[in-house]
Amino acid sequence: GQAALAKSALLAQLGDSPEINKRRFDLLRKAIIDAADSMVGEVTLADIAKEEIYRMTKLSKGATAPNLKGMDSRGLPLQLSDMKGKIVVLIFWRSWEKYQDVYRVTQKLRETYRGQAVEVIGVSGDLLTSIREMEKMDQLSGRNFADPYGKLFQVYRVSDGPVCFVIDEEGKIQYNGSLDSFVDLTVSALLAPDSK
């Protein structure tokens, strides 16, 4: 059971294609059948497998993006599902985790895709007062969920940031990972006429 879990973890490093995920599901099933109650640290193998299955079914490429619902930093309701029909670049960030990179990339994305069906939405782990202070000082733009208690971070299983998800017009995840050039490439590809 534990060997099957370890093999599944190794396969995860190869990506989240349907073929890899099928192999991982088979291994996780074996792990649960053979050793569900075995302890790995302070959690059971079954709990670890359950978490991996959540990530594979809810957060992999092609999965329907989990909805986020809350208030933005201005106190207005904000819901991810209201963005259907647009490409959403969802960025999880905290001011103490490479914030200058987040600011630079979000500004570039907003400028590049201005007037197009692209929304850049942040999910900040900072306190609301900090987010508002950053907005006053023009260090932050656009809409940001205020998530100081990490509830929205948990839905997307984000522990360290910044982390980005690109979600297509139908609400499907097309990219998840670091905030690098793949974000812009994914958005460009989704906007290309032949990608429809």
Side-chain angles (χ1 to χ4, degrees), residues 41-96:
E42 296 184 19
V43 296
T44 66
L45 189 140
D47 289 334
I48 294 170
K50 180 179 167 185
E51 182 65 19
E52 287 304 305
I53 290 168
Y54 179 90
R55 290 174 186 274
M56 290 170 17
T57 58
K58 306 287 187 200
L59 302 174
S60 292
K61 183 176 179 181
T64 299
N67 190 30
L68 295 181
K69 187 176 183 179
M71 296 296 208
D72 71 9
S73 56
R74 296 178 186 116
L76 300 171
L78 181 58
Q79 186 165 228
L80 189 58
S81 60
D82 290 342
M83 305 292 163
K84 282 238 170 136
K86 296 181 180 183
I87 296 165
V88 176
V89 179
L90 185 65
I91 302 170
F92 291 82
W93 64 274
R94 297 176 182 104
S95 60
W96 59 91

Side-chain angles (χ1 to χ4, degrees), residues 7-189:
K7 286 180 187 176
S8 174
L10 287 173
L11 281 173
Q13 296 174 8
L14 298 176
D16 61 2
S17 71
E19 299 81 27
I20 291 172
N21 279 346
K22 182 183 179 330
R23 289 172 56 196
R24 291 188 66 212
F25 271 121
D26 292 342
L27 288 165
L28 290 170
R29 185 178 311 117
K30 179 173 178 34
I32 292 169
I33 290 168
D34 292 349
D37 294 329
S38 295
M39 298 300 288
V40 179
E42 296 184 19
V43 296
T44 66
L45 189 140
D47 289 334
I48 294 170
K50 180 179 167 185
E51 182 65 19
E52 287 304 305
I53 290 168
Y54 179 90
R55 290 174 186 274
M56 290 170 17
T57 58
K58 306 287 187 200
L59 302 174
S60 292
K61 183 176 179 181
T64 299
N67 190 30
L68 295 181
K69 187 176 183 179
M71 296 296 208
D72 71 9
S73 56
R74 296 178 186 116
L76 300 171
L78 181 58
Q79 186 165 228
L80 189 58
S81 60
D82 290 342
M83 305 292 163
K84 282 238 170 136
K86 296 181 180 183
I87 296 165
V88 176
V89 179
L90 185 65
I91 302 170
F92 291 82
W93 64 274
R94 297 176 182 104
S95 60
W96 59 91
E97 294 176 320
K98 300 181 187 171
Y99 174 70
Q100 291 305 319
D101 292 344
V102 173
Y103 181 72
R104 180 182 45 75
V105 170
T106 56
Q107 289 296 94
K108 182 177 183 277
L109 288 168
R110 286 188 176 102
E111 289 170 17
T112 301
Y113 299 109
R114 181 172 284 135
Q116 298 183 59
V118 177
E119 288 285 337
V120 180
I121 304 290
V123 181
S124 175
D126 287 35
L127 293 171
L128 185 57
T129 53
S130 298
I131 298 169
R132 288 180 176 164
E133 191 62 34
M134 292 170 85
E135 288 173 340
K136 282 183 197 172
M137 296 170 42
D138 287 329
Q139 296 175 336
L140 186 63
S141 63
R143 295 188 77 185
N144 285 274
F145 282 103
D147 187 35
Y149 302 108
K151 292 178 182 176
L152 304 180
F153 272 68
Q154 177 57 23
V155 171
Y156 277 75
R157 301 308 196 253
V158 174
S159 55
D160 298 322
V163 172
C164 181
F165 289 80
V166 177
I167 302 164
D168 68 18
E169 300 95 327
E170 296 174 9
K172 305 276 186 193
I173 295 171
Q174 295 302 320
Y175 170 83
N176 68 45
S178 62
L179 197 59
D180 57 27
S181 59
F182 285 111
V183 174
D184 189 35
L185 289 171
T186 304
V187 174
S188 295

